[in-house]
Amino acid sequence: HHSHGNVQHHHHEHRAYKDIVALIEGAGFVEPVKNTALKIFKRIGEAEGHIHGIPLEKVHFHEVGAVDSIIDIIGAAILIHQLEIDVIKSSPIPVGTGRIHIDHGIYPVPAPATLEILKGVPIEQSDIRFELTTPTGAAIVAVLAEEYCPIPSMKVTSIGYGAGTKTFKNHPNVLRVVIGEE
């Protein structure tokens, strides 16, 4: 963020899809981690390319290219590998409602990229007027989940929670992961 005279500029970080691929390929991750992270970024890249009418190789990420999204995606890939998870099942994805301000203006929730990424994935209606699923979260679940269902029958071995920064009046802003054996 800086100014030229009376004009304010906000410089958003932009990363090309090919640069993120090179970053992941050159990081020395084990093959399963590298492949999972690349699949997730490809899902986001294809969605962005489709929305903007450009090929994957020319996609530049806006919000999704930020360092925290890269860390979220690679972190998810590392955890799935380290925890030796065989099958991932998910509930339908709550996307929220309302409107969101993105680089291209004000759009309805879910944002265009999120909705494109979630094609073929069951989404859940919600009265919460907020973006509950980002493109990053949508891509992680869309790539990793093999089935969408209520919680399956299993012997629970571990439970994890990840909390978001937004606070809702009657709804916890958490992602719960349950690990178990069928």
Side-chain angles (χ1 to χ4, degrees), residues 85 87-90 149-159 176-182:
I85 304 298
V87 176
I88 297 175
K89 298 180 181 184
S90 173
C149 59
I151 194 163
S153 297
M154 70 174 132
K155 176 182 165 191
V156 176
T157 57
S158 300
I159 306 160
R176 179 171 66 179
V177 175
V178 179
I179 300 174
E181 299 171 6
E182 288 189 285

Side-chain angles (χ1 to χ4, degrees), residues 44-66:
I44 298 169
E46 289 171 341
E48 289 286 345
H50 179 78
I51 290 166
H52 296 290
I54 58 173
L56 180 61
E57 305 78 45
K58 298 211 184 258
V59 168
H60 280 75
F61 295 103
H62 302 283
E63 299 91 348
V64 180

Side-chain angles (χ1 to χ4, degrees), residues 23-45:
L23 177 79
I24 293 168
E25 288 180 340
F29 296 120
V30 295
E31 283 297 310
V33 169
K34 178 177 81 172
N35 293 338
T36 298
L38 289 173
K39 283 181 198 172
I40 294 168
F41 269 108
K42 185 175 183 184
R43 183 79 175 238
I44 298 169

